Amino acid sequence: MADEPQKKPHLSALVGHTNGLTKPTALAATATRAAGGGGGGGATASSKKLVIKNFRERPKLPDNYTHDTWQKLHEAVGAIQSSISIKYNLEELYQAVENLCSYKVSATLYKQLRQVCEEHVKAQIRQFREYPFAMHRVIRITNSLDSLLFLKKINKCWQDHCRQMIMIRSIFLFLDRTYVLQNSMLPSIWDMGLELFRNHIISDKQVQTKTIDGILLLIERERNGEAVDRSLLRSLLSMLSDLQVYKESFEQRFLEETNCLYAAEGQRLMQEREVPEYLHHVNKRLEEEGDRVITYLDHSTQKPLIACVEKQLLGEHLSAILQKGLDNLLDENRISDLTQTYQLFSRVKGGQQILLQHWSEYIKNFGTTIVVNPEKDKDMVQELLDFKDKVDHIIEVCFQKNEKFINLMKESFETFINKRPNKPAELIAKYVDSKLRAGNKEATDEELERILDKIMIIFRFIHGKDVFEAFYKKDLAKRLLVGKSASVDAEKSMLSKLKHECGAAFTSKLEGMFKDMELSKDVMVQFKQYMQNQSDPGNIDLTVNILTMGYWPTYTPMEVHLNSEMIKLQEVFKTFYLGKHSGRKLQWQTTLGHAVLKAEFKEGKKEFQVSLFQTLVLLMFNEGDEFSFEEIKMATGVEDSELRRTLQSLACGKARVLIKNPKGKDVEDGDKFIFNGDFKHKLFRIKINQIQMKETVEEQVSTTERVFQDRQYQIDAAIVRIMKMRKTLGHNLLVSELYNQLKFPVKPGDLKKRIESLIDRDYMERDKDNPNQYHYVA
């Protein structure tokens, strides 16, 4: 029992050793200390030291071990290459390689392995050199099939080689991870296998040529629509890539053949197909080539391949495509085809630029046909608006709102719309009048606002905005005076748009017209109160609009013979107005007057809303039932052509209050007019319009001449203003400054005439020494 405590420390020392945590000497010391601490006893005397030491010399390999082991390994490699089972355990073979490497046989082992692999690869080449001829002796095969069989054989050889090298490397892994890794000049076993296959099989001229020819033939067949073995192509091209011969042996020839194919195809299809079909084909080809890159070509080929297709199918035919088909696509509004055109042209260098040029030309040509042809004047503005909507839609949907296309469209519109000076401005003013006039039931307030916004876009392109102002002012005057304005809000909205676009000076007179109408209402309230205080207020209810001459269009006064009651009422108003505003002059504009007449017929009473001229004619029939044209002319004093139109409206229109004898559409000298007592109409109040509400040619010419006269005044004022500030200025600098200041188109010759006129009137003078220099005369 006394021995038990002494065993524990001894046991701990042994445990320490078995775990390998202590050196043999430390173990001995521990054991000795344990014995000393025990205090004697037979057990401690019998204890022995346990010392483990390395071999003094490495054990020698048995004789012929290296040779025998290599034979085993050689046999195993041969079995792998022959695709037969290996006799030996793979672990045993791996251990054998490790043993050889441990005894510094690595270099010899690597050399022997390389030699065995090289001999095997060299042996493989024979089957490919003999292959085509052997096959032809057995059976006649077409080139295409022969090529396919060859490709399958080379692919099998490559797949077998890869499988074999993976297996061989797994056996010689220790060699690969030690000796080969330490020698940077040596390729790894896998790379060695690639190198041998490249040097002895793929670098063989005959094999390489037939392989590349076969691959290119397969790709050509696929491009022609045939189904081919894509996995075979992927495997072979991956092989070329792994062997690092893809670019030099395949890619260069592939791109050359692609170039030739698409160059010929582009030339042929441009002749045979319409543009939409051709572009669809180009898109299809680009998708196909993109798919080839994804499926079996090397990724590095994508950029040059797509560039080649784009160049040959698009780049070489940019102008031809656009000349042949762009106009048709735009005319027919082929949105999807135009989108495709833009997308394809954007891929090619210079494609967008040439598309821009043709886009601009199309807009100018199409727009010019709308503007220049006088026969289209009636629908010009509506066609311009429709055309603008169309190109806006194309830019938004097809051209991805590209700023270049938007800006060029604006420039093109400005170019063609000003090819015919003044007329578009005049017609736009009339178009606005037609939309703002009462009776226009085409549009709601929101639609009308949208139409006005569109009109303003077209208006911006016009250079001669003063022409627009003159005609717009004349039409606005008619709407205000005759009460034909559809909506005061719409009128003011249009005025606001013009003010925003052209500035306050442009709309000051137009605003003055609205102001006059407001003031006139106030004056009439006061006049009615004034009339109530008169002893004889009369039977006629008079309404007068007082117009400031500078704001309103110029009207030619026409003297007519009013009846006595009208003349009396005019005098009463004149006394009333001049009593409040001394120093002013009133000029009555009979052409703008209108009245409501009460009439009695057999059917009953009616009211007629008529012009002043129509009023004068109808009032004559209170004195008699029949009058000749000459009698009416003498009694009313209305100008000949105006009277003919007035009688036409009363005797030849829808509401025939008078009967013309003889019957006919036109009023001739000697015609008789009889009061139509049997007149019938479903309405109580009937509006009888003048036959010709449109302005005459003389009125148009008159308005245009006034615009030109105003322009001359503006030029004179601008010249004087510039010269007053500069005092002395050269001719070219003066002309340049004038172009900057004037807001309407003007020719250099017209400027020169105005300068001469101002010199004649002593506003400025020429320099005595330099005739191109001018001095301001204070």
Side-chain angles (χ1 to χ4, degrees):
M1 293 297 289
D3 290 341
E4 283 296 319
Q6 293 174 357
K7 288 180 182 177
K8 286 181 183 177
H10 185 62
L11 182 62
S12 70
L14 289 172
V15 171
H17 166 69
T18 54
N19 283 339
L21 298 174
T22 46
K23 293 181 182 178
T25 51
L27 179 65
T30 309
T32 306
R33 282 196 298 276
T44 54
S46 64
S47 299
K48 292 181 180 179
K49 296 177 184 176
L50 185 62
V51 179
I52 299 170
K53 292 183 179 179
N54 289 332
F55 294 119
R56 289 177 185 173
E57 292 180 7
R58 182 184 293 182
K60 288 184 179 179
L61 288 172
D63 293 343
N64 297 327
Y65 179 81
T66 306
H67 179 266
D68 292 345
T69 305
W70 167 244
Q71 285 305 317
K72 272 187 189 178
L73 292 167
H74 188 190
E75 196 178 325
V77 170
I80 291 168
Q81 290 171 339
S82 303
S83 299
I84 57 175
S85 59
I86 305 167
K87 292 179 184 178
Y88 310 102
N89 186 303
L90 288 176
E91 192 178 345
E92 182 187 337
L93 292 171
Y94 179 88
Q95 189 63 54
V97 171
E98 187 178 341
N99 291 342
L100 289 176
C101 290
S102 301
Y103 283 88
K104 301 193 184 296
V105 192
S106 302
T108 310
L109 186 61
Y110 182 84
K111 194 175 178 183
Q112 287 172 322
L113 177 62
R114 182 185 175 96
Q115 191 176 347
V116 170
C117 291
E118 190 166 12
E119 285 169 2
H120 175 72
V121 172
K122 280 181 177 176
Q124 298 300 310
I125 194 71
R126 284 195 290 276
Q127 64 176 319
F128 299 114
R129 285 177 175 161
E130 295 165 3
Y131 171 78
F133 313 107
M135 289 301 292
H136 277 295
R137 282 198 296 273
V138 178
I139 190 168
R140 188 167 177 256
I141 302 172
T142 62
N143 284 340
S144 178
L145 185 57
D146 175 43
S147 173
L148 181 62
L149 293 170
F150 179 86
L151 291 180
K152 285 182 176 176
K153 199 158 186 74
I154 197 92
N155 184 51
K156 184 177 184 305
C157 178
W158 165 249
Q159 297 294 343
D160 289 347
H161 176 77
C162 290
R163 182 175 45 75
Q164 291 161 13
M165 289 311 298
I166 289 167
M167 197 75 175
I168 290 167
R169 182 179 178 272
S170 68
I171 293 171
F172 288 87
L173 191 61
F174 193 85
L175 175 69
D176 206 29
R177 288 186 174 174
T178 54
Y179 173 72
V180 175
L181 209 58
Q182 290 158 10
N183 290 270
S184 58
M185 299 301 289
L186 291 176
S188 68
I189 292 172
W190 175 256
D191 288 343
M192 175 193 75
L194 294 180
E195 186 185 306
L196 293 173
F197 198 89
R198 178 173 63 243
N199 292 344
H200 297 294
I201 294 183
I202 289 301
S203 293
D204 181 88
K205 195 170 184 183
Q206 194 176 339
V207 173
Q208 187 179 109
T209 304
K210 195 153 183 65
T211 303
I212 302 303
D213 285 350
I215 291 171
L216 291 173
L217 183 62
L218 275 185
I219 294 172
E220 185 187 339
R221 283 169 56 194
E222 189 185 41
R223 281 173 171 163
N224 291 335
E226 295 180 42
V228 298
D229 188 347
R230 288 184 139 206
S231 61
L232 176 63
L233 282 170
R234 181 166 58 246
S235 179
L236 289 169
L237 290 168
S238 176
M239 171 191 79
L240 296 178
S241 193
D242 289 344
L243 297 174
Q244 296 177 347
V245 294
Y246 178 87
K247 277 198 177 297
E248 62 194 52
S249 66
F250 169 76
E251 188 179 81
Q252 194 175 347
R253 270 194 64 194
F254 170 68
L255 291 174
E256 284 171 4
E257 293 207 2
T258 301
N259 207 51
C260 293
L261 169 76
Y262 287 127
E265 185 173 279
Q267 293 287 349
R268 177 171 55 81
L269 294 181
M270 272 302 292
Q271 302 295 324
E272 294 174 4
R273 298 192 179 183
E274 292 301 315
V275 166
E277 293 171 16
Y278 181 79
L279 291 175
H280 182 70
H281 176 78
V282 173
N283 207 43
K284 181 166 159 277
R285 282 302 202 193
L286 285 165
E287 286 173 2
E288 286 172 3
E289 297 303 337
D291 183 51
R292 277 187 194 99
V293 173
I294 293 166
T295 310
Y296 54 76
L297 292 172
D298 190 82
H299 185 68
S300 63
T301 309
Q302 182 175 12
K303 198 172 179 181
L305 172 61
I306 298 301
C308 171
V309 180
E310 288 171 350
K311 180 176 182 291
Q312 294 303 338
L313 293 183
L314 283 172
E316 297 293 329
H317 308 287
L318 292 175
S319 292
I321 290 169
L322 296 176
Q323 284 167 6
K324 186 177 180 182
L326 182 66
D327 285 8
N328 287 340
L329 296 183
L330 290 166
D331 285 342
E332 294 167 19
N333 209 24
R334 304 267 285 272
I335 297 297
S336 59
D337 293 329
L338 285 167
T339 305
Q340 189 171 65
T341 304
Y342 176 79
Q343 288 170 349
L344 289 173
F345 273 61
S346 297
R347 299 176 70 137
V348 185
K349 187 180 179 182
Q352 260 196 25
Q353 193 55 43
I354 198 163
L355 181 58
L356 273 167
Q357 291 168 9
H358 281 77
W359 166 247
S360 174
E361 285 304 312
Y362 173 81
I363 293 174
K364 287 175 189 171
N365 293 339
F366 191 90
T368 302
T369 59
I370 297 173
V371 170
V372 173
N373 187 357
E375 293 175 8
K376 289 193 172 185
D377 282 0
K378 186 182 176 184
D379 302 316
M380 181 199 287
V381 180
Q382 189 58 54
E383 285 189 30
L384 285 174
L385 290 172
D386 294 342
F387 183 47
K388 180 68 171 56
D389 284 344
K390 176 181 168 180
V391 296
D392 283 345
H393 183 66
I394 289 168
I395 287 172
E396 184 176 350
V397 178
C398 308
F399 299 161
Q400 299 171 4
K401 300 179 184 176
N402 188 315
E403 281 294 326
K404 290 179 181 175
F405 283 84
I406 293 171
N407 293 334
L408 199 61
M409 177 270 290
K410 289 177 181 175
E411 288 173 23
S412 304
F413 260 82
E414 191 173 339
T415 302
F416 79 70
I417 212 166
N418 290 296
K419 279 189 176 178
R420 187 179 176 194
N422 308 322
K423 197 65 182 177
E426 175 192 332
L427 293 173
I428 289 171
K430 288 178 180 174
Y431 184 85
V432 175
D433 175 56
S434 72
K435 295 299 174 187
L436 292 176
R437 202 184 298 154
N440 173 33
K441 295 172 184 174
E442 298 170 24
T444 62
D445 290 347
E446 292 80 11
E447 286 169 349
L448 182 57
E449 189 68 18
R450 276 200 296 275
I451 291 168
L452 295 179
D453 284 334
K454 288 179 181 180
I455 283 286
M456 288 309 298
I457 293 170
I458 302 292
F459 172 73
R460 282 188 195 117
F461 301 131
I462 291 170
H463 289 161
K465 291 182 171 62
D466 50 348
V467 175
F468 171 88
E469 184 199 9
F471 282 96
Y472 182 79
K473 183 163 77 171
K474 189 161 63 63
D475 293 331
L476 174 62
K478 277 185 186 175
R479 293 197 299 276
L480 293 177
L481 295 173
V482 188
K484 280 190 173 182
S485 189
S487 158
V488 175
D489 290 341
E491 292 284 5
K492 290 192 174 175
S493 171
M494 185 64 191
L495 205 59
S496 171
K497 293 179 200 299
L498 289 169
K499 189 173 185 177
H500 181 265
E501 186 65 34
C502 304
F506 186 84
T507 55
S508 60
K509 291 181 180 178
L510 303 176
E511 287 171 335
M513 291 162 72
F514 280 96
K515 193 175 178 183
D516 280 351
M517 296 304 290
E518 294 294 327
L519 290 172
S520 295
K521 287 179 183 175
D522 295 340
V523 170
M524 289 322 296
V525 170
Q526 295 168 14
F527 178 64
K528 284 189 177 6
Q529 291 171 350
Y530 175 80
M531 287 299 289
Q532 285 170 2
N533 298 327
Q534 296 294 310
S535 57
D536 183 16
N539 297 323
I540 300 173
D541 185 11
L542 178 69
T543 303
V544 181
N545 288 315
I546 300 99
L547 315 179
T548 308
M549 286 186 76
Y551 294 157
W552 296 76
T554 306
Y555 298 106
T556 308
M558 188 184 292
E559 291 295 330
V560 292
H561 303 153
L562 301 175
N563 65 24
S564 57
E565 201 169 347
M566 286 182 182
I567 293 169
K568 180 185 172 186
L569 203 53
Q570 275 188 348
E571 289 301 320
V572 170
F573 180 81
K574 189 174 179 181
T575 306
F576 157 76
Y577 186 76
L578 295 180
K580 286 183 170 291
H581 305 279
S582 60
R584 293 190 181 179
K585 183 183 175 185
L586 286 177
Q587 184 182 58
W588 296 91
Q589 293 291 349
T590 53
T591 53
L592 302 174
H594 56 94
V596 175
L597 287 180
K598 293 178 180 178
E600 287 188 24
F601 297 95
K602 290 177 183 177
E603 192 187 50
K605 292 183 179 181
K606 298 284 182 187
E607 285 187 1
F608 293 115
Q609 197 173 333
V610 286
S611 72
L612 180 62
F613 299 151
Q614 290 170 325
T615 304
L616 295 177
V617 171
L618 290 174
L619 287 175
M620 283 184 68
F621 288 87
N622 284 337
E623 310 299 326
D625 288 338
E626 181 179 332
F627 295 97
S628 68
F629 173 75
E630 286 74 17
E631 287 170 337
I632 295 170
K633 185 178 178 182
M634 182 71 70
T636 60
V638 177
E639 185 262 331
D640 189 279
S641 59
E642 191 68 49
L643 182 59
R644 288 178 195 274
R645 285 201 300 276
T646 301
L647 288 168
Q648 257 185 320
S649 67
L650 295 170
C652 307
K654 290 180 180 177
R656 300 189 178 185
V657 186
L658 304 178
I659 298 169
K660 186 171 88 74
N661 189 17
K663 292 182 178 180
K665 286 185 178 179
D666 296 325
V667 175
E668 305 292 346
D669 292 348
D671 283 357
K672 302 279 186 183
F673 294 91
I674 304 158
F675 179 72
N676 182 9
D678 298 324
F679 176 80
K680 291 181 181 181
H681 202 283
K682 60 182 179 180
L683 298 176
F684 174 69
R685 177 174 280 197
I686 303 138
K687 184 176 181 180
I688 304 175
N689 290 324
Q690 284 283 74
I691 288 297
Q692 191 173 352
M693 290 301 289
K694 295 177 183 176
E695 62 184 358
T696 61
V697 176
E698 291 80 6
E699 281 180 306
Q700 287 185 8
V701 171
S702 164
T703 306
T704 309
E705 282 178 354
R706 280 201 301 277
V707 170
F708 290 150
Q709 189 61 52
D710 287 345
R711 284 183 180 180
Q712 290 190 344
Y713 296 148
Q714 288 182 53
I715 294 169
D716 288 356
I719 294 170
V720 172
R721 194 163 55 244
I722 293 164
M723 290 306 300
K724 190 173 183 179
M725 187 172 66
R726 298 291 188 89
K727 305 300 182 191
T728 299
L729 202 61
H731 177 79
N732 290 340
L733 283 171
L734 175 59
V735 169
S736 174
E737 192 71 35
L738 284 168
Y739 276 125
N740 289 335
Q741 289 197 16
L742 297 172
K743 293 179 181 177
F744 49 83
V746 60
K747 294 174 184 174
D750 294 336
L751 292 179
K752 199 169 181 181
K753 286 177 186 174
R754 299 320 305 157
I755 291 168
E756 294 295 340
S757 169
L758 289 170
I759 290 171
D760 292 343
R761 288 180 280 160
D762 293 331
Y763 282 95
M764 53 198 283
E765 62 183 9
R766 288 186 192 277
D767 189 272
K768 292 173 184 176
D769 300 323
N770 183 1
N772 281 330
Q773 193 89 356
Y774 305 118
H775 301 292
Y776 176 66
V777 178

